[in-house]
Amino acid sequence: MASRKESGAAPSAIMASVGGSLDSPVKQIQIEGLVVLKIIKHYQEEGQGSEVVQGVLLGLVVDDRLEITNCFPFPQHTEDDADFDEVQYQMEMMRSLRHVNIDHLHVGWYQSTYYGSFVSRALLDSQFSYQHAIEESVVLIYDPIKTAQGSLSLKAYRLTPKLMEICKEKDFTPEGLKKASIGFENMFEEVPIVIKNSHLINVLMWELEDKSTVSDKHELLNLSSSNHLEKSLQLLMDRVDDMSQEIVKYNTYSRNLSKQQQQKHQYLQRRQQENTQRQGRGEPPLPEEDINKMFKPPQAPPRMDTLLIAGQVNNYCQNVKEFTSQNLGKLFMVEALQGNN
């Protein structure tokens, strides 16, 4: 199960305690507005800068729609808290919710992100554990940096069926990924989200919008984006450096493999020539040898980390693209307003 430091405990034990299995695939996610507010409040209370906050999502499946009706955070604890049992804590929380007649079925988890830096091995392993035990599980990614710019950033992701098969087999070699046709573009699939509020909350939101001042509305035209763009580009350059190191590792492996293949081919040619000479002299051929033991192929570097880095680079590029396109739209809008004045 996901934790503040690393996502480790499997949710299968928790599902065994509450019973039931979910079969239908998820095409849409419906989230209660209260759940969104709890996630935002959790980050505001415990998240500091790049500190990641995580929690559990509760709800139910209706046809092909996953309804998230409640959530609760993982408690903040350090590695020194050896006596803390996360699985026991979650089971007690869901048992308490069940006693007060609140949806208590485990349907996934949520996590905050820092400038979109969420594509990692820890997230992959955790989501695989959830999705393997609960097929409809999703992970909600909340970006407080984007949200602070004026629009809520909350996205839901699931592992694709191809990636689930690869993770089950644990075959992350170049040949295994090539055979499964896995690339960074088809590792995760995004599920559309719909936020649902009660009629009373909708009325309250309308009243709050009417009471908002004109100056607050004009803040949407703010062009101060240098800090956000600079940080995003710095993170992008760091991941590009990591990608360069992975490419060097793979190129080294390719050169070693090619060199060994040449040595193997030369050895077989010499052996064939010697057997031909021995046959001409009437001597028996050389005894058979296990050539694979003599020429052990070099170990291929795992390619899953490379795919994750490529996926994170793509995510950074999309963030920069979205952010700059919004600012370009603001610039054209401001230019038109100045021209009218």
Side-chain angles (χ1 to χ4, degrees), residues 10-131:
S12 55
I14 300 174
M15 283 302 296
S17 67
V18 299
S21 61
L22 308 176
D23 297 326
S24 60
V26 174
K27 301 297 183 182
Q28 186 185 48
I29 296 178
Q30 178 179 295
I31 307 178
E32 295 288 339
L34 180 61
V35 176
V36 178
L37 293 178
K38 284 184 176 182
I39 295 174
I40 296 175
K41 182 182 178 182
H42 183 197
Y43 177 82
Q44 291 176 345
E45 291 179 348
E46 297 188 11
Q48 298 178 358
S50 59
E51 181 73 16
V52 173
V53 298
Q54 298 175 332
V56 176
L57 299 175
L58 306 174
L60 65 158
V61 176
V62 179
D63 296 331
D64 60 352
R65 183 177 71 252
L66 177 64
E67 297 184 2
I68 301 176
T69 58
N70 204 346
C71 68
F72 61 86
F74 289 121
Q76 187 174 7
H77 65 279
T78 61
E79 296 178 356
D80 298 333
D81 301 332
D83 297 334
F84 182 78
D85 188 348
E86 283 192 357
V87 175
Q88 184 64 27
Y89 165 77
Q90 295 174 47
M91 292 175 63
E92 290 178 357
M93 284 291 297
M94 287 187 287
R95 191 178 298 111
S96 300
L97 293 172
R98 180 173 55 186
H99 288 165
V100 294
N101 200 25
I102 296 179
D103 293 331
H104 59 277
L105 293 181
H106 213 146
V107 295
W109 60 295
Y110 69 84
Q111 173 182 302
S112 66
T113 182
Y114 181 68
Y115 285 95
S117 305
F118 65 89
V119 183
S120 64
R121 190 58 180 267
L123 182 135
L124 174 65
D125 293 340
S126 180
Q127 181 58 23
F128 171 74
S129 298
Y130 272 92
Q131 218 165 307

Side-chain angles (χ1 to χ4, degrees), residues 106-327:
H106 213 146
V107 295
W109 60 295
Y110 69 84
Q111 173 182 302
S112 66
T113 182
Y114 181 68
Y115 285 95
S117 305
F118 65 89
V119 183
S120 64
R121 190 58 180 267
L123 182 135
L124 174 65
D125 293 340
S126 180
Q127 181 58 23
F128 171 74
S129 298
Y130 272 92
Q131 218 165 307
H132 182 66
I134 315 166
E135 185 180 357
E136 285 77 9
S137 293
V138 298
V139 53
L140 290 184
I141 302 297
Y142 167 64
D143 193 336
I145 307 297
K146 274 189 176 182
T147 303
Q149 300 296 325
S151 60
L152 175 65
S153 177
L154 189 67
K155 296 184 178 181
Y157 293 97
R158 288 169 45 84
L159 302 185
T160 59
K162 289 184 177 180
L163 187 58
M164 286 293 295
E165 291 298 326
I166 288 292
C167 291
K168 289 178 182 178
E169 298 174 0
K170 297 183 179 180
D171 183 11
F172 302 135
T173 60
E175 293 77 12
L177 295 178
K178 182 179 180 180
K179 181 179 179 181
S181 301
I182 289 291
F184 70 89
E185 307 93 341
N186 52 10
M187 293 177 63
F188 297 91
E189 58 181 0
E190 185 176 353
V191 186
I193 292 177
V194 175
I195 299 178
K196 178 185 177 182
N197 292 315
S198 65
H199 298 302
L200 291 177
I201 294 179
N202 288 330
V203 172
L204 177 61
M205 292 175 65
W206 279 106
E207 291 182 354
L208 293 176
E209 184 177 0
D210 292 338
K211 293 180 180 179
S212 63
T213 60
V214 177
S215 59
D216 292 334
K217 295 180 180 180
H218 285 176
E219 288 182 359
L220 296 175
L221 297 178
N222 188 4
L223 299 178
S224 59
S225 61
S226 58
N227 293 334
H228 185 281
L229 191 58
E230 179 182 0
K231 186 62 178 178
S232 297
L233 291 176
Q234 286 178 352
L235 293 171
L236 175 60
M237 289 187 293
D238 291 339
R239 300 310 282 173
V240 170
D241 290 340
D242 295 338
M243 174 63 74
S244 177
Q245 294 177 6
E246 292 293 326
I247 292 175
V248 169
K249 292 179 182 178
Y250 187 75
N251 288 339
T252 302
Y253 159 75
S254 299
R255 287 195 300 268
N256 293 337
L257 182 62
S258 177
K259 183 179 179 180
Q260 188 189 69
Q261 291 295 334
Q262 292 178 358
Q263 293 175 351
K264 184 178 179 180
H265 182 67
Q266 292 174 0
Y267 173 80
L268 291 175
Q269 283 185 336
R270 290 196 304 267
R271 184 179 176 86
Q272 185 177 4
Q273 292 175 359
E274 187 173 354
N275 281 332
T276 303
Q277 294 175 0
R278 291 174 66 91
Q279 185 178 4
R281 296 193 299 265
E283 299 177 358
L286 295 173
E288 294 292 336
E289 296 180 355
D290 190 354
I291 195 171
N292 292 327
K293 291 184 178 180
M294 298 177 61
F295 297 93
K296 292 183 179 180
Q299 186 176 2
R303 301 297 288 167
M304 181 55 68
D305 293 338
T306 306
L307 288 180
L308 291 172
I309 293 174
Q312 186 59 69
V313 168
N314 180 68
N315 191 43
Y316 285 144
C317 292
Q318 293 296 329
N319 290 343
V320 172
K321 178 182 176 182
E322 293 175 4
F323 199 75
T324 52
S325 62
Q326 291 176 2
N327 283 351

